[in-house]
Amino acid sequence: MGVKSIISGTGSYLPEKILTNADLEKMVDTSDEWIIQRSGIKERHIAADGQTTSDMAIIAARRAMEAANISADQINAIIVATTTPDKTFPAVAVHVQSALGIPHCPAFDVQAVCSGFMYALATADAYIKSGMASTVLVIGAEKMSSIIDWSDRTTCVLFADGAGAVVLEARDAKDDEGLEGQGVLSTHLYANGDGKDLLCTTGGPSCTGDVGFLTMQGKEVFKFAVKYLSEIVGEVLAKNRIHPDQIDWLVPHQANIRIIESTAKKLDMPMDKVVVTIDRHGNTSAASIPLALDEAVRDGRIKRGQLVLMEAMGGGFTWGAVLARF
Ligand SMILES: CC(C)(COP(=O)(O)OP(=O)(O)OC[C@H]1O[C@@H](n2cnc3c(N)ncnc32)[C@H](O)[C@@H]1OP(=O)(O)O)[C@@H](O)C(=O)NCCC(=O)NCCS
């Protein structure tokens, strides 16, 4: 009998302030129509001044722990996916540990931008399967507004803030349960560093000494996103020997509705089996998948026992996917 990891609870947090496309029309030369047509975004949440990534991560984590019905002393690893930590160091994960009173354990951040939550979830799953931890708090949290040039219309209309979290717990796995068993079934991670200049920040600790602003060659990134996501969902299907119609829900990273639709098309999945939050959340980078997952779990769409495919692509380039039976 082996060990598997199951998602025992989800939680999320969105800051109060909502920035609409109409608000952005007053800030840069753009239009509601352009933003909706090109990206699918209508509004997004923006953190308050002084509200940090760890502030949001802590609330999302608390909600996931409540949903999983576990206490702080049961957690024995914390992994936070973020590109926008409060400070260059220490990690957001140690802020979470301290605020929630979690006992001494490994606590670290992973940085894979928009694919960060896929990297964090895959790492947490590997921790559990190798016996290094039994209950892992996995968080995606971002204050993307802090690295946006608010005068750059090509990026400021797209990105936003928020946090999502899951509790991943070890359970005994029966050898013969296969695809029908609850828990993480397969994880897939990739990077291609040749894309590093197409989506990046203009600064950083060891080059300019400041955090810089996000810049993106949107059209190029779009092409790679469609290609890599199509490839990776194909790999998930092949590895698990499943047909797309066996997947109950696609929970994609929310960067652009057109990228989401293209992945759904590749999977031949109707859009009513795809969890879409981009219209209200914008692109919250590493937070987008756990935010979408939590929304669909709490509103009753995603039910226990259903098969969920998560996928993301981000700066680096990095991309990843996780197939799990919820
Ligand atoms: C960014 C993105 C929405 C732009 O859409 P697009 O159809 O590629 O549009 P383009 O960049 O070609 O821009 C088209 C025109 O709109 C203009 N434009 C750019 N931003 C604009 C805005 N906010 N409002 C109005 N016009 C805008 C451009 O200047 C360009 O004008 P031009 O033709 O006169 O040069 C799209 O490329 C995208 O989603 N890319 C990938 C994003 C992504 O996945 N990023 C993160 C990965 S995690």
Side-chain angles (χ1 to χ4, degrees), residues 42-102:
K42 294 179 183 154
E43 59 183 39
R44 71 287 284 146
H45 292 251
I46 301 293
D49 289 345
Q51 187 176 30
T52 63
T53 296
S54 64
D55 293 335
M56 295 185 276
I58 288 160
I59 301 172
R62 244 191 217 116
R63 290 175 179 168
M65 288 163 61
E66 276 165 22
N69 196 22
I70 61 146
S71 57
D73 57 11
Q74 290 172 268
I75 292 171
N76 45 29
I78 307 164
I79 307 177
V80 179
T82 189
T83 303
T84 48
D86 304 21
K87 297 178 179 175
T88 304
F89 76 86
V92 171
V94 302
H95 290 273
V96 173
Q97 181 189 28
S98 163
L100 298 181
I102 295 169

Side-chain angles (χ1 to χ4, degrees), residues 185-200:
L185 296 167
S186 72
T187 63
H188 309 251
L189 299 179
Y190 288 100
N192 174 5
D194 293 343
K196 64 187 185 309
D197 299 324
L198 296 173
L199 173 53
C200 59

